[in-house]
Amino acid sequence: MKKYINYSFVYAILALISGVFFREYTKMNNFAGKTQLSFAHVHLFALGTIFIILVGLLALFSNVEEKKTFRVFWRLYNLSLPFMCVMFVVRGVLEVSGKSLSKAANSSISGIAGITHMLMAISLVMLFFGLKKAKFKGRME
């Protein structure tokens, strides 16, 4: 469980940093509209902090960590979530600063963001496969 608490704590710190950056960067640039910067904070907090604690609780009451699909989930999830949030920050900084990119650069950002979302979806499917195979302790069955 300690591993999940540590990961969750790191994601919480990143969520707080991204939230402060969002607020201060938009204020510094007198930006009042919607921006992708806010999504980094929400994703890091919900999917990084809260979701990881829930996964830790599931692992505490089952043998899911022994399943190969869970190990694939864990690696893929913790690879794709940070990259997804980095792309939110990149897109958001460009929106707030008002910089326009070439069509190719804009497509590249969208493509990387799309790939990270697909990897996240695959990792969640792997989690559910692992949970379906897991044996739960006590009254969880």
Side-chain angles (χ1 to χ4, degrees):
M1 187 66 186
K2 192 168 208 134
K3 169 177 80 170
Y4 300 104
I5 292 170
N6 289 336
Y7 269 81
S8 182
F9 183 56
V10 168
Y11 279 122
I13 290 169
L14 293 173
L16 293 170
I17 290 169
S18 68
V20 169
F21 177 74
F22 159 63
R23 184 187 58 169
E24 295 302 319
Y25 189 70
T26 54
K27 190 188 311 180
M28 185 175 67
N29 286 289
N30 296 320
F31 186 83
K34 289 189 174 190
T35 176
Q36 294 287 313
L37 282 176
S38 64
F39 290 111
H41 170 71
V42 172
H43 278 69
L44 286 167
F45 188 69
L47 295 176
T49 305
I50 296 169
F51 187 72
I52 294 295
I53 288 290
L54 294 174
V55 168
L57 289 172
L58 288 169
L60 185 65
F61 293 105
S62 72
N63 69 340
V64 72
E65 289 178 307
E66 299 169 9
K67 306 301 175 194
K68 183 179 179 184
T69 53
F70 181 83
R71 291 189 298 271
V72 171
F73 150 75
W74 186 252
R75 288 185 194 111
L76 196 55
Y77 189 85
N78 287 298
L79 176 74
S80 58
L81 180 58
F83 275 108
M84 180 190 309
C85 292
V86 165
M87 297 318 297
F88 284 137
V89 171
V90 168
R91 174 73 71 197
V93 166
L94 291 169
E95 289 171 344
V96 171
S97 66
K99 300 209 171 155
S100 60
L101 297 174
S102 68
K103 188 174 181 182
N106 196 28
S107 295
S108 296
I109 291 171
S110 296
I112 294 169
I115 290 169
T116 62
H117 278 80
M118 286 186 277
L119 292 175
M120 181 66 74
I122 292 167
S123 73
L124 291 173
V125 168
M126 298 306 282
L127 171 64
F128 283 106
F129 284 157
L131 288 171
K132 285 178 65 114
K133 294 178 185 176
K135 300 271 190 245
F136 285 87
K137 303 169 190 168
R139 299 177 61 158
M140 294 281 294
E141 289 188 40

